[in-house]
Amino acid sequence: MSLFPAFSDANAKGEQEKEENNDENWLKNSSFKVDISKLSLLVNNEPENKNIKDKESTKRNKSSPRKEESSKKHKKKKIEENPENLITKSDEFVIDKTLTKEYFSVNTISRPAVPKYDRKYSMFKKNRFNNKRYKRYFKLKLFGEEIKDNAIKKGDLDKKIEVKKNESISGFSEEINLTKTTQEYNQKLTQNPLDVQTWIDYVQFQDTVYNFEKCNKKGSIAKGNRVTADRKLSILDKALTHLPNNEKLQRERLNVCVNAFPSDELNIHLEKMVEKEQSNIILWQGYIESKQCSMSHCNTPTVLKLYTKCLSTLHQLRRTAKIEKSILEENILRMLYQCGLFLKQSGLFEQLWTLLRMYLNLNLSHQDKSNIFNGIGNGSVNDRELLKLEEIVLNSKLPLHELWLRIEKLREACHWVPFNGDENCEDPQRMVFVEDVNELIHPITMPGNTFKMTAIILTLLKVPLLPCRHTTMKNFGLDYVPWSLDSIETIVLPTFLRTHHIDLTSQHFLNYLKKFTVGPQYLKQFPGQEEYLKSILEIISLSIEALNGAEKTAIAVWMLRFHRVLLVLERKGFLNISKELQKKLKSDRKNLLKNSGNNIILYVEFGLIEIFTNDGVENGVNVLMATLKMQDNFRSIDLIGDRLLRSSLCFVYKTLMEIYLNEDDREKTLEYGLRLALGINLERNIQISESSINEATLKFKHVTIKLFQNDDDSIIETVEHFLPNFLIDWITCQAIFMYYTKGIDETKTFLDEILLNFESKVFEKEIILEFYVSLVFKDRLKNVSPQKITNLNELLFKSIVSYPNNVFFLTILSKTENLSCSIGKNFWKLKRLLTQTGHAFPNLFLILIEMEKINIIEETWVETVANGCLKNKISSLFRDLTSSGVCTRRCGLIWRLYLQFLYENYDANLCRNVYYKAVEECPWLKALYIDAAVYIPAELPQIQDLLIEKQLRLHVTPEELDILRG
């Protein structure tokens, strides 16, 4: 019964209609009469149904034969009808397993019944993409076999299904090898988690994984780079849990962050990390560099505030934290070096001079000699003389950009001391007060760090390390900063110091780099050159007076070697020194020897100056002989109890033997070797015989074994890097003696055994390797053969990998590469060796080596195809060295070399593009902004505005220049 009576009749009628529909009464229609037997045949037999449809379609398409022909061309063959492939589940649906294409398409209607559509195509549209239709994954075929759907279903879980690997797929074997390598790294690191090099190799291996995924898998490159960076960071974080204080791992983590994160995100990330670990010097360096090296964030006051905050934080931790004070003081000195580099490179030399002078006054001056460094630099260039020079430039009628360049360089070379006159100063930036740098100054109290501070200050004032060794730079904390190469003095001058008495001076290096000097400087003849050199020499002399003991001797040795290099440059015509300054240098040396108390080491350095600044060796040898006669009252050198005296006397004998080895005087070399080994005084005559040689050989061997047995594993102090070492000098003398008695082969075998015993002694091993390389190089010059060249190259490559910042090794390499001037001589090996060291010095020498090859070709031959090939190769080398992820991409000197090379050999537009890229990478470097007057003079006003925006040091503004011209 219905709820509503009104609908009861309707429900009854509906039920009646349903019953009628179950019958075939609905087919009984006057307008539709069909044979029921044929209809049942169509329903129950599907293939007949298809045939009927095909006949009807053919009847319908007879009127359009063209359409039928075109449809035959585009349609594929029909799938064979197999009743087993059609599984009928019910009368309503069918499962298709043969992918019948008729179910995915509809037959088109023949004309004129088909509607007409107009489609327009643009022939000159910029972005026309031909989107190809990709087949679905189940339609792909490999080698003629269709891939079947091997998906495991619920019913197959209990079954043992064997999955066959298709090894024919591209990249299958490479992926298996990568998986095996990853497994090997995990096993090694599980067994030995303290192996730093394995962690580093595992991190670098992720680049190989990324290259494989980039070639064999889809996805954006940016996303792939970020994923790879995340992998590296997770590996390094795990490594730092086992080795929390390892500097190499921390440095690698910082490099990964710099290459992975954008500038803003990197600043936030590093700021949070610095707040957590305030004593971590590596995080501080990375955080400051993220601001300093960013074009949008770099600003002189902002960067100086960060240096101030870092130094004050380290000073507070030194007073309160439980960390060792010596480590925190070393970190303060490292940040002082980095801050000084920033002030020097941004042109703020007045502030740098004030900062360094106050550090010296605070930490070196005695109570009775307070503020002894304040008067230095007062004798700089007079302003009246500078005005006369500026008037000459202004009256020369040069273009505007050239006038600005010359006046800026003049004032930069002369105005490096703060203004102290009573008159009003027109340039407010010359007025520097103590309050401006007061927050950057902190006391240095720990023993040994005072000497490090003095060495860092001299390095900032462009006094090079002599000799420049890798371990010395690392001990001073000078090896990290990749953008420290801004001046040529630290690179060129060590090549003029004869290490192991081999002349390696290169006129091309100095002439090529001399144009890149930045004021104030003392190499190029320019106003203010001599005044700046006098100020440096005065600082060195006052530092010697303020120090005591071995530190005083070390700085004195450094000063004498600096004198020697200056005199060698003057003698070769590379440097002009006035007679007045030469007299001052000579008087300083004599006063130093008088006040040294017969210090043998200083007398040896004085003798070397006499040797290499005169035509002969007689004067220098006489000085060394007189030194030996004063102390030569012993029987045997190994029996002397005083370690300093023993090492000093052995240093004298080693110097004499190396001098005569360089002169190729066998008798004199063996004579001093016999006197050293057998303890024979100079007053007694000596005969070189077979018995005396055998006796000396046994004595050398006996003392060497005894020295290794009694040697301890103590770490070499920083001061000892400038002082002689008895063990090293004794081994050197023994090797020279063996070279003249037993030949080069046995000498090399002896040195190889010594190097195996020096695995834990890094500094001693570097010096022994220097002598080893010098001996093989000397033998190679005597007898040129392919085998000797190969041996020398192998030894050099091994030495440079271990000590990449050693200038002696790099100079020897440049000499061997340019002796024959072979154009295609394993350049790829040389490039791979020097660029993979991760340091700026080898990369710079790689450029100098190739540039010298061009110079040799241009001097000896006419313009050839080889010259053009070399230029293209150097251009490619510059692009590689300035690309992202390379340590030299922020090295200002390499960018300036790149711009000069492009300016001389390529188009001006290319030079302009590279210039803006260089400024973007080094926004704090004032020398690049000055170079705009040479490379892009038309855009100099915009560059000057950028220089003012960054608040770098500008000595003459465009407005002032207009007034001066008027």
Side-chain angles (χ1 to χ4, degrees), residues 506-509 814-815 818 821 847-857 874:
S506 177
Q507 182 178 357
H508 169 73
F509 281 7
S814 66
K815 286 291 183 182
N818 292 316
C821 192
I847 295 170
L848 295 176
I849 288 170
E850 297 304 316
M851 294 301 297
E852 189 171 4
K853 286 182 181 179
I854 290 182
N855 185 53
I856 293 173
I857 291 175
I874 293 174

Side-chain angles (χ1 to χ4, degrees), residues 104-356:
F104 296 95
S105 62
V106 178
N107 292 327
T108 57
I109 305 173
S110 60
R111 295 183 184 278
V114 63
K116 190 174 182 181
Y117 297 94
D118 291 331
R119 300 190 65 180
K120 297 180 180 180
Y121 296 93
S122 176
M123 298 297 294
F124 301 100
K125 192 174 181 180
K126 293 183 179 179
N127 298 324
R128 289 188 66 193
F129 298 102
N130 185 15
N131 295 325
K132 297 181 180 179
R133 294 183 63 187
Y134 294 97
K135 295 183 180 181
R136 297 174 69 181
Y137 66 94
F138 52 77
K139 293 184 180 180
L140 293 175
K141 293 184 178 181
L142 292 176
F143 303 101
E145 296 181 359
E146 188 175 357
I147 298 176
K148 297 181 180 180
D149 186 10
N150 293 326
I152 300 175
K153 302 176 182 178
K154 290 183 179 180
D156 300 330
L157 292 176
D158 298 332
K159 301 177 182 179
K160 294 182 179 179
I161 301 173
E162 295 182 1
V163 180
K164 295 182 179 180
K165 298 179 180 179
N166 191 354
E167 298 183 1
S168 61
I169 298 175
S170 61
F172 180 82
S173 59
E174 289 84 352
E175 188 171 3
I176 294 297
N177 293 332
L178 291 177
T179 306
K180 289 181 179 179
T181 307
T182 304
Q183 185 178 0
E184 291 174 359
Y185 275 118
N186 289 328
Q187 290 177 355
K188 288 180 182 179
L189 294 173
T190 304
Q191 296 172 0
N192 186 13
L194 302 179
D195 189 358
V196 179
Q197 189 58 41
T198 306
W199 285 109
I200 299 295
D201 294 340
Y202 190 27
V203 171
Q204 295 174 353
F205 173 69
Q206 302 309 311
D207 295 329
T208 306
V209 177
Y210 165 70
N211 292 329
F212 170 78
E213 292 177 347
K214 185 174 65 174
C215 297
N216 295 276
K217 296 183 180 180
K218 296 180 181 178
S220 64
I221 296 176
K223 189 180 293 184
N225 286 328
R226 189 60 179 268
V227 170
T228 305
D230 291 338
R231 288 177 189 166
K232 292 182 178 181
L233 290 176
S234 62
I235 294 170
L236 290 168
D237 289 338
K238 187 176 180 180
L240 288 171
T241 58
H242 299 285
L243 299 161
N245 298 322
N246 188 272
E247 184 176 347
K248 195 172 183 179
L249 292 174
Q250 291 177 351
R251 192 75 67 193
E252 185 68 24
R253 193 186 189 286
L254 179 61
N255 293 334
V256 172
C257 291
V258 170
N259 295 325
F261 297 110
S263 178
D264 297 336
E265 191 175 346
L266 178 65
N267 288 328
I268 298 171
H269 177 70
L270 291 176
E271 186 177 4
K272 292 179 180 178
M273 294 182 69
V274 164
E275 290 177 356
K276 294 179 181 178
E277 302 179 40
Q278 293 186 348
S279 62
N280 194 329
I281 186 65
I282 297 174
L283 293 179
W284 274 112
Q285 288 174 337
Y287 178 44
I288 295 173
E289 285 178 13
S290 66
K291 292 280 188 181
Q292 180 178 332
C293 302
S294 174
M295 189 67 182
S296 58
H297 296 94
C298 180
N299 190 291
T300 300
T302 305
V303 177
L304 285 178
K305 284 180 181 178
L306 288 179
Y307 280 115
T308 304
K309 182 180 178 181
C310 174
L311 288 170
S312 61
T313 304
L314 293 174
H315 177 62
Q316 291 175 2
L317 289 173
R318 180 177 58 174
R319 300 175 61 184
T320 58
K322 296 180 180 179
I323 307 174
E324 293 184 10
K325 291 184 178 180
S326 59
I327 297 176
L328 289 171
E329 273 197 4
E330 289 179 0
N331 291 340
I332 289 174
L333 291 176
R334 292 169 76 176
M335 292 311 301
L336 170 66
Y337 174 66
Q338 196 163 335
C339 178
L341 281 175
F342 173 74
L343 290 172
K344 182 173 68 170
Q345 294 180 8
S346 59
L348 302 171
F349 215 92
E350 294 93 346
Q351 293 188 29
L352 175 66
W353 186 263
T354 306
L355 176 66
L356 299 182

